Amino acid sequence: MIIGGRYLTFTTLYGLKVYWLMGALLGAAAFVLFALQAGAFYSALAGASVEIIAGTVLYVQFRKQRGKNEAAIPASHTSGL
């Protein structure tokens, strides 16, 4: 729950709505794991899985956006770099 709450703070700081989803997923996972009385291993596995998947999705989105921005710059503006 603590890690999920951290992502809700990130929504305010960075303005990315995906952090609401990550916070909700981590909070829901914590609730389910608590109800099932899951051990520490499964709790860590669930949290790490959510963060790895979300991190991968964010990275792919970043790379796509960066590629679009670079394609929009005329070649004459990049020749001196």
Side-chain angles (χ1 to χ4, degrees), residues 1-74:
M1 289 296 277
I2 292 170
I3 296 171
R6 178 182 69 183
Y7 283 102
L8 300 180
T9 303
F10 289 167
T11 301
T12 303
L13 291 173
Y14 303 119
L16 296 175
K17 305 256 187 250
V18 71
Y19 289 128
W20 280 109
L21 177 63
M22 290 175 62
L25 285 172
L26 288 167
F31 179 76
V32 169
L33 291 165
F34 181 77
L36 296 174
Q37 297 180 350
F41 172 78
Y42 295 108
S43 298
L45 182 64
S49 298
V50 169
E51 288 191 347
I52 289 170
I53 292 168
T56 303
V57 169
L58 287 171
Y59 179 73
V60 169
Q61 287 179 344
F62 169 75
R63 295 292 293 180
K64 284 182 182 178
Q65 186 63 33
R66 185 175 175 205
K68 288 179 185 177
N69 290 341
E70 288 178 356
I73 300 172

